[in-house]
Amino acid sequence: MPSSQGRRLLALLVIVLICRATVASQTKPSQAGVQVVANEAARRVDVLVDGKPFTSYIWPDTIKKPVLNPLRAASGTIVTRGYPIEPRPGERVDHPHHVGLWFNYGDVNGLDFWNNSEAIKPADRNKYGTIRHSKIKRVTSGKDRGELLVEMDWLTPAGKPILKEETTFIFQAAENQRVIDRITKLTALDERVVFNDNKEGVLGLRVARQLEQPSDKPEVFTDANGKATSVPKLDNTGVTGRYLSSEGLSGDDVWGTRGRWAMLTGKIGQEGITIAILDHPGNPGYPTYWHARGYGLFAANPLGQDVFSNGKQKLNFTLQPNNSALFRYRILILSGNASRDDLESQYQRFVGEVK
């Protein structure tokens, strides 16, 4: 049996160990919940769920706008295309401006912000605008959600800002579900800004090869500046995607139609995946037109009405100097193939939560 002095030493040792454990628990960041971690030196903000990667907000010099890339399902499966940042075998290498999840437009005061990339020849760059990350204004983490508030500048080829963008990203996580709200405020600066009706816009993402719709022929797509991009036919093995809109349209019939939401379902390996974009009743041009292509471009464009309506409607959305517009979208990544009822329920929740 230890002596009284030994018992005192043992008790003192236990106290020291408890204190050290307490200090360590207070200083070591928690891995639980949604963590939003800024690393401005690396030009990125990483979003993790319970310590595992979900997505990253990045603004490298090689991309002409900030993007979220890649996007992952709750299982960790990447659901966006790797090219041009991290190409993967068997995927398409067209449209190098399709990177992760982005927000921009094809005709802003005559400048093309959508199609800009490192692939544009120097002689043609006077036709293209660039969106530059300006600052991180807020980063918060939490048990069920994290937030990132950033500022960006929409620049002319001469470097003059014509729009100030302030975007709040809200990241949420639940079992078998990942959610991103992108709430973007655009403010015209010292001149009028016109978003001339154009099919290239506004919220877009490019999905992994397995979530494309199977295609039996090559295609050639031409942008607003007349630049053609070939999209070749590839091996359709494991390619399982299918679009469905809130209006009951499916497949290629979704393109160029309106709807309050649209979803893309398919499989990556044996894992069922649903990606959905939800429009908001308060958005300009609601309900949005869907610029949803079988080769993997999934975009909501409320501003291209002349193109999608074959000239029956025109919008040419305009911001006068110092005026602002708000765009609110929710992106869902669900494990499994969701039904229309599932999406309608998700849509009503979105409208109730985001004003």
Side-chain angles (χ1 to χ4, degrees):
M1 184 173 187
S3 66
S4 60
Q5 184 177 3
R7 288 195 296 272
R8 285 196 298 272
L9 288 173
L10 182 60
L12 181 61
L13 178 60
V14 170
I15 291 171
V16 169
L17 292 174
I18 291 172
C19 289
R20 285 181 178 177
T22 301
V23 170
S25 68
Q26 290 173 343
T27 57
K28 184 178 180 180
S30 173
Q31 295 263 299
V34 181
Q35 304 95 41
V36 183
V37 183
N39 185 348
E40 294 194 65
R43 303 174 74 90
R44 64 189 295 125
V45 179
D46 294 316
V47 183
L48 305 100
V49 177
D50 297 333
K52 297 179 181 179
F54 171 18
T55 188
S56 296
Y57 170 81
I58 61 173
W59 62 96
D61 288 331
T62 54
I63 301 176
K64 301 302 182 181
K65 71 274 186 180
V67 300
L68 293 183
N69 187 76
L71 302 183
R72 294 177 175 85
S75 63
T77 297
I78 294 176
V79 300
T80 44
R81 181 176 72 164
Y83 177 82
I85 296 179
E86 295 178 343
R88 297 192 289 269
E91 67 180 10
R92 300 184 194 267
V93 292
D94 57 83
H95 298 85
H97 50 279
H98 291 173
V99 184
L101 174 73
W102 68 92
F103 181 98
N104 58 15
Y105 195 61
D107 189 338
V108 183
N109 285 5
L111 296 172
D112 185 349
F113 285 80
W114 178 272
N115 290 287
N116 200 3
S117 75
E118 290 289 291
I120 301 300
K121 297 177 181 178
D124 295 331
R125 289 178 184 171
N126 63 336
K127 303 174 185 176
Y128 295 85
T130 300
I131 302 175
R132 182 182 64 196
H133 169 82
S134 174
K135 68 174 70 170
I136 297 171
K137 298 186 70 175
R138 185 176 71 248
V139 172
T140 60
S141 302
K143 180 181 177 182
D144 300 312
R145 59 189 272 163
E147 294 190 18
L148 171 65
L149 174 59
V150 292
E151 279 189 1
M152 309 176 208
D153 295 308
W154 292 46
L155 306 174
T156 70
K160 178 185 177 182
I162 57 173
L163 285 165
K164 175 68 70 177
E165 176 179 336
E166 187 176 78
T167 289
T168 299
F169 295 98
I170 302 172
F171 305 100
Q172 299 181 70
E175 185 178 5
N176 298 323
Q177 179 174 293
R178 296 290 182 264
V179 182
I180 301 168
D181 288 347
R182 195 189 207 279
I183 303 170
T184 294
K185 180 182 178 182
L186 295 180
T187 302
L189 298 178
D190 58 358
E191 63 181 283
R192 185 180 70 157
V193 177
V194 182
F195 298 78
N196 297 293
D197 286 27
N198 187 286
K199 71 179 174 67
E200 311 284 30
V202 294
L203 179 80
L205 64 90
R206 185 66 188 264
V207 301
R209 171 67 179 148
Q210 298 93 323
L211 297 178
E212 295 176 17
Q213 293 189 157
S215 173
D216 60 2
K217 62 183 187 299
E219 300 280 2
V220 177
F221 296 93
T222 304
D223 68 21
N225 297 300
K227 185 177 184 296
T229 301
S230 297
V231 179
K233 176 187 174 183
L234 299 177
D235 181 3
N236 285 322
T237 302
V239 178
T240 61
R242 187 75 171 170
Y243 288 110
L244 179 69
S245 79
S246 59
E247 310 312 295
L249 300 174
S250 64
D252 291 332
D253 290 340
V254 172
W255 187 89
T257 64
R258 287 184 184 271
R260 58 191 178 276
W261 55 260
M263 65 176 172
L264 176 63
T265 61
K267 287 186 175 182
I268 296 181
Q270 297 302 309
E271 181 180 0
I273 298 286
T274 297
I275 303 175
I277 300 176
L278 314 183
D279 194 14
H280 193 281
N283 286 346
Y286 175 87
T288 187
Y289 280 95
W290 295 105
H291 187 18
R293 295 292 197 186
Y295 66 80
L297 170 65
F298 186 9
N301 183 358
L303 306 183
Q305 297 186 13
D306 181 57
V307 178
F308 296 121
S309 70
N310 294 317
K312 295 176 184 177
Q313 303 165 349
K314 289 185 185 294
L315 182 60
N316 290 329
F317 184 70
T318 301
L319 286 175
Q320 298 299 333
N322 303 312
N323 284 3
S324 300
L326 197 61
F327 296 82
R328 316 156 186 86
Y329 296 98
R330 175 165 288 180
I331 299 91
L332 299 171
I333 305 171
L334 308 175
S335 298
N337 292 334
S339 68
R340 288 187 63 191
D341 288 344
D342 293 334
L343 258 293
E344 191 58 37
S345 176
Q346 291 275 5
Y347 177 76
Q348 296 301 328
R349 184 178 301 121
F350 168 53
V351 172
E353 292 175 352
V354 176
K355 302 301 182 183

